[in-house]
Amino acid sequence: MKKVISLLCFSFLAGCSFIQMNRGDQSLQNQRLIEERDLNSAQDNLTAGSYVQAQKQYQTFQETYPRSNFFQASRIGQAQALEGQGKWVEAAAIYRDVVLKTRNLQPDIAAMALYRMSFCDEALGDDQKTVADLLDAQSLRNTLPLTVGHAEIPARLAAAYSRMGREKEAVQYLNEAEKGIAKIRAESDLSKLEKDWLAKTYYQMGSVTTNQLSPENFDSFVASQKFVQVYLLKTMELNDSRWSPKALKQLKTTYSELYLQVEAVKQNPSQQAHLGGALIGLIDRAELYKPVSGQTQNSYQIEFFTLTNEVRTKTERLLYQGHESMGLTEESKKLNSIKRSGRTKADALLPGEESSSIQSLPKKKAAPKAAEGVDPNL
């Protein structure tokens, strides 16, 4: 009888223990759901551009849940909110600390912090650090989403190397970015990806800050844009309600800032001619992606190509208002010659740029040779 009672007591205690464990698991699960809810709310404000509000929410999260498994992830969100406010130094400091604290135990968090830190160093004008950040993040890319590790990081490396004048590496990473997009299409279950994943990825691949743009780095910036503006043009072409407007805004900002730099050096006609020629060359490359006759442009494309036409006209007006006193070289004359309506052919297409959109120009007939002994001017 005692043995039976002992067995019953053991069963009862075991049952109580099981119930307590279940209650404990349920409590942890409920806590996790609450934390995810608060993080999602902050993320929604971050995505909407409400950076101050998002920053406050992330800070409140950290004060409320100091031992949360999402604590370091919330710090990345906080740093992104600071980025949105242009507080690059503060954001970079947080990213750097996150990397130090998560590299061993949470390499996925560390990789994302390194990737985001590259945006800060780019905005601060330090391309050496930008490349170092991206290469470090790439070494951990297996912990990152495919779109970031195999497409966005290579594209941003291409832009950074281009600004540094290292075209070989730029082309190498641009090719890698294109292969990354192909890899994502081939290996991912597209039904499980967000429907706007391609537009978002293209936007991230092409988004470059103009924060440090100046006449001194104008050429290197334009060179990098020749590599990556195509991705913003592709984002607009996708006509995505969320990312196409962002791409249009980024391109409008870029071209407006470039024009202001050309306008700012009016006291130096030779430099103005050089910068203006480079800007017109960038517009020519962008217009290779203008839908050809018979194809319908969406509203984003219409607005962008209207802008480039206006920037071209204003730039040419700047260059030719003092034409006789400018003393252009033969090369500058070719760069700055007034462009007629219609397509122009690019010097060389970069990886990812389709040649099918370029209209072939009609071949000119050779002029008949003059007969011997006859003055060709008669």
Side-chain angles (χ1 to χ4, degrees), residues 244-315:
S244 294
K246 289 178 178 287
L248 173 62
K249 182 180 179 180
Q250 178 74 47
L251 284 167
K252 288 173 69 175
T253 297
T254 295
Y255 277 93
S256 297
E257 290 291 333
L258 287 169
Y259 173 76
L260 288 176
Q261 295 299 323
V262 177
E263 189 178 42
V265 295
K266 60 184 177 182
Q267 301 303 323
N268 187 336
S270 177
Q271 185 181 23
Q272 188 172 64
H274 176 78
L275 300 189
L279 175 54
I280 288 174
L282 187 62
I283 293 173
D284 287 343
R285 190 173 288 277
E287 289 186 345
L288 294 174
Y289 290 86
K290 186 176 183 179
V292 296
S293 178
Q295 293 181 335
T296 303
Q297 297 185 61
N298 63 44
S299 60
Y300 308 111
Q301 292 172 311
I302 291 171
E303 188 171 347
F304 171 68
F305 289 114
T306 298
L307 171 73
T308 56
N309 187 54
E310 292 172 355
V311 171
R312 181 195 293 277
T313 301
K314 291 194 297 182
T315 302

Side-chain angles (χ1 to χ4, degrees), residues 66-172:
R67 298 189 180 186
S68 170
N69 289 332
F70 304 127
F71 185 85
Q72 296 298 340
S74 74
R75 297 186 70 205
I76 288 183
Q78 177 190 2
Q80 283 187 263
L82 289 168
E83 280 186 63
Q85 298 172 64
K87 297 179 180 180
W88 311 106
V89 175
E90 293 178 46
I94 293 176
Y95 289 134
R96 198 171 295 110
D97 189 60
V98 169
V99 172
L100 290 173
K101 291 177 177 176
T102 62
R103 185 146 200 161
N104 293 329
L105 297 178
Q106 294 177 293
D108 55 331
I109 299 295
M112 185 57 72
L114 284 163
Y115 175 57
R116 292 307 314 179
M117 190 158 62
S118 74
F119 287 79
C120 298
D121 286 327
E122 179 190 279
L124 293 169
D126 194 331
D127 283 326
Q128 293 284 355
K129 282 188 177 180
T130 301
V131 168
D133 297 335
L134 291 168
L135 290 176
D136 211 359
Q138 190 178 47
S139 70
L140 299 169
R141 71 178 178 181
N142 289 335
T143 68
L144 289 167
L146 277 177
T147 53
V148 176
H150 292 271
E152 294 175 29
I153 287 177
R156 297 188 66 78
L157 276 167
Y161 275 124
S162 178
R163 288 194 299 273
M164 296 165 68
R166 295 170 61 175
E167 188 166 329
K168 181 180 178 181
E169 289 92 340
V171 171
Q172 172 191 335

Side-chain angles (χ1 to χ4, degrees), residues 318-352:
L318 281 178
L319 299 182
Y320 291 100
Q321 63 186 1
H323 179 73
E324 292 185 1
S325 64
M326 289 172 67
L328 298 178
T329 64
E330 287 300 317
E331 183 179 2
S332 294
K333 288 177 182 177
K334 290 179 182 178
L335 280 173
N336 298 308
S337 60
I338 297 177
K339 307 296 185 297
R340 305 300 176 189
S341 59
R343 282 276 170 75
T344 56
K345 193 170 183 179
D347 296 332
L349 288 176
L350 298 169

